[in-house]
């Protein structure tokens, strides 16, 4: 379970960072920009993904291995 939380946290971290990078540059990759219902809210969604990633990492730290 700990590894699953870490993997989910890493994916959320990468997607959040990619969304913020896309908002401030012309780099076009990541999940946030491809979802149509987030149109206009890409920065908020990216920040939410970053916060979620830190919460997942904290939850993974509190889990026992195994």
């Amino acid at each position: 379970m700990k590894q699953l939380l870490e993997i989910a946290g890493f994916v959320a971290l990468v997607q959040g960072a990619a969304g913020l990078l896309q908002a401030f540059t012309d780099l076009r990759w990541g999940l946030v920009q491809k979802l149509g219902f987030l149109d206009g809210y890409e920065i908020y969604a990216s920040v939410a993904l970053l916060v979620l990633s830190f919460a997942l990492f904290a939850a993974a730290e509190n889990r026992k291995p195994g």
Side-chain angles (χ1 to χ4, degrees):
M1 184 69 168
K2 182 177 180 176
Q3 286 181 336
L4 181 65
L5 289 171
E6 289 174 345
I7 291 170
F10 178 73
V11 169
L13 180 70
V14 169
Q15 291 301 316
L20 286 178
L21 193 62
Q22 179 263 329
F24 296 116
T25 64
D26 253 354
L27 186 65
R28 297 283 183 195
W29 68 277
L31 182 66
V32 173
Q33 66 144 2
K34 292 184 189 327
L35 298 175
F37 64 90
L38 291 176
D39 193 30
Y41 298 100
E42 291 92 357
I43 294 176
Y44 299 116
S46 298
V47 170
L49 279 171
L50 288 174
V51 170
L52 175 67
S53 71
F54 291 122
L56 287 170
F57 286 138
E61 282 296 315
N62 288 333
R63 300 288 298 185
K64 294 177 184 170

